[in-house]
Amino acid sequence: MKNKIRIIDVMKFKLSELFTKSFQNFREDYLTSNVGTKNQNFILFFSNFLLSFLIFIIRKPDSILNAQLWAEDGQIFLRDEWVTGFPDTFFFLYAGYIHLVPRFIAFFANLFPYTFIPLVFNLCAILISAISVSIFSLTKFRYILRSDFLRTIVIVLLCCSSVGIESFNNITNVHFFLSLGVFLLAIIGGELNGFSYLLITVYVLLGIFSAPLAICYAPLFLIRPFLCKFDRKRWVYLVLFVISLGYGILMFYLGSRDSVVGIDWNYFLNPNHIEKLIRLIVATYFMNTNSVEFITYHKYFWILEVILLYFYIKKFKMQGVQTSILLGSFLITVLIPVLLRGGLSLNEEQASYTTLMSGAKESFYFLNVINLMINRYGLVPYFMFCILTFVLLFERNKHQITVHFPILVFVVFLFVIRHSLFIKPYEDLKWDQYADMVKNKTDVSIPVNPIWFPKIEFKKELWKRD
């Protein structure tokens, strides 16, 4: 009995020592993650920004060559601008939250001639998306992934997402990219000057007032005040934390709580269900979910889980806190949409099927999740997965990393998603032919993509008067 107690005590000591060492390494890496010069950071960021901007356009060239509005771009944001106008529209909740960035872009685009409005919308969306993913190129993230080359590869993969392809190059869904940017700025390492704090504050405020998922990262804004005792301006991050938390509670109270459907919480009591949920979501990044192959092969993705878990444990002493932050953020971005959008609940029609088909309940649950995560709600989980995978697979050391294996992984990944790289053009709805109606502020009925979405439609007496 004494030997057993002694073994347990030794294990506790070893684990305590492991966690302590991991945190010390994280603290040291975080505080010293400032090795890059201003010129180096500018070159890295600007080159990755141009690369990202180009990729977004190549994936969907019609967003520039034949710009069309997408869904809420027209029916909500532009219509509200025509009827009410910014800044009054800032207080309009849609889907339970504020949309500061889309509302401001609608105001800005309306300053241009009518025919250029969709182009301005799309260019602004591409600009914000490229800025958001390029943040990861800064040398201040070397404490997470040391190699600048590897971070560039990750950024390219972020731009080449095979899920949520309707989310690219439109302001309706730009909040998913803003969520990524807020997450990255919350965990940025090294020293920050006054100008950096200003830029970060502006971006984060734009993000949290436009991207509900960004609010979930509020606790991460406590890292800098806790670690950077030498930094007198660290109070800025405390303010951002308080604003994020306060607005998150208010948003949930005002709107989102009404959209939360009944959840079968018993599902989360079973670790096997959580594992299967993660495996299904990861499989969507590599497989065509419309084919029988997905049903046949997704069960083998537990092998990938085991591989990543092995590297997670192996690297825990050196990067345990960093990888834990990434893993936790991935789980949050998976579970929050699933919970809020009813991925683990059944509608009446599905529930009736389960009464007729014994044992079909689980299949319906996870079919809901797949349908949810292959569209725009899977985009931020995909971002987190890409970053986490590269951080786990490639060793963090001070020696020059061999480029062959990362390039191989990159090529294989692009080969797998090759059919999703180029996004189908929107239907040409002849935006120009409605110019006179808008100019003269008469009755309008303007279709937007997707074709089944409600038109921009209202009577002439509703027009905002200058």
Side-chain angles (χ1 to χ4, degrees), residues 140-393:
K140 295 180 185 295
F141 291 100
R142 284 180 177 171
Y143 81 99
I144 293 178
L145 193 59
R146 180 169 294 276
S147 169
D148 299 335
F149 171 71
L150 286 185
R151 293 201 311 281
T152 298
I153 286 184
V154 171
I155 289 171
V156 173
L157 291 181
L158 298 183
C159 297
C160 295
S161 170
S162 58
V163 297
I165 55 178
E166 77 274 25
S167 304
F168 289 86
N169 303 7
N170 60 74
I171 66 167
T172 292
N173 295 301
V174 79
H175 62 87
F176 294 110
F177 292 91
L178 286 168
S179 296
L180 172 66
V182 170
F183 167 76
L184 291 173
L185 292 177
I187 64 172
I188 192 170
E191 297 180 20
L192 297 174
N193 58 33
F195 184 65
S196 297
Y197 273 115
L198 176 62
L199 292 179
I200 289 171
T201 301
V202 171
Y203 184 101
V204 171
L205 290 178
L206 290 174
I208 63 175
F209 287 118
S210 305
L213 197 55
I215 302 168
C216 299
Y217 302 130
L220 297 177
F221 284 99
L222 295 177
I223 295 176
R224 178 166 293 274
F226 178 73
L227 292 182
C228 300
K229 303 298 184 182
F230 61 87
D231 191 346
R232 295 182 179 180
K233 295 186 178 68
R234 66 186 186 278
W235 59 267
V236 171
Y237 269 62
L238 278 174
V239 171
L240 293 175
F241 165 74
V242 172
I243 293 175
S244 300
L245 188 64
Y247 172 62
I249 295 172
L250 180 63
M251 184 188 73
F252 184 81
Y253 179 78
L254 290 178
S256 295
R257 66 192 178 105
D258 297 327
S259 65
V260 179
V261 297
I263 302 297
D264 187 353
W265 295 100
N266 291 328
Y267 255 76
F268 293 101
L269 298 178
N270 189 336
N272 291 329
H273 289 154
I274 298 178
E275 182 277 332
K276 185 175 181 180
L277 174 66
I278 295 171
R279 179 157 37 93
L280 283 169
I281 291 168
V282 171
T284 62
Y285 303 149
F286 299 97
M287 303 176 69
N288 181 359
T289 54
N290 294 321
S291 69
V292 181
E293 290 182 1
F294 183 86
I295 301 174
T296 305
Y297 295 112
H298 86 271
K299 56 181 174 242
Y300 298 114
F301 273 75
W302 67 266
I303 298 174
L304 179 58
E305 289 180 333
V306 171
I307 293 173
L308 295 179
L309 182 61
Y310 165 76
F311 282 104
Y312 174 77
I313 296 173
K314 181 181 178 182
K315 301 183 69 172
F316 194 87
K317 178 181 285 189
M318 293 300 298
Q319 281 189 293
V321 177
Q322 291 96 311
T323 53
S324 296
I325 289 173
L326 293 171
L327 178 59
S329 300
F330 170 71
L331 294 177
I332 286 174
T333 57
V334 167
L335 294 178
I336 293 299
V338 168
L339 291 175
L340 293 182
R341 308 305 280 178
L344 289 179
S345 64
L346 300 180
N347 59 37
E348 292 183 5
E349 182 180 6
Q350 292 172 329
S352 65
Y353 277 120
T354 62
T355 60
L356 298 175
M357 302 170 61
S358 177
K361 187 176 183 180
E362 181 182 288
S363 298
F364 275 112
Y365 273 136
F366 289 110
L367 180 60
N368 285 354
V369 172
I370 292 172
N371 290 335
L372 182 72
M373 300 308 291
I374 61 174
N375 63 32
R376 55 186 180 165
Y377 295 102
L379 197 59
V380 183
Y382 166 85
F383 293 158
M384 297 298 171
F385 176 80
C386 286
I387 297 173
L388 176 62
T389 300
F390 269 71
V391 171
L392 289 177
L393 287 182

Side-chain angles (χ1 to χ4, degrees), residues 39-69:
N39 287 338
Q40 187 178 19
N41 267 307
F42 175 79
I43 293 172
L44 281 171
F45 178 82
F46 189 67
S47 59
N48 277 276
F49 166 77
L50 290 179
L51 178 61
S52 304
F53 196 92
L54 184 62
I55 291 174
F56 287 133
I57 293 177
I58 291 175
R59 291 196 69 188
K60 197 174 190 312
D62 69 296
S63 58
I64 300 298
L65 301 178
N66 185 27
Q68 305 281 314
L69 294 183

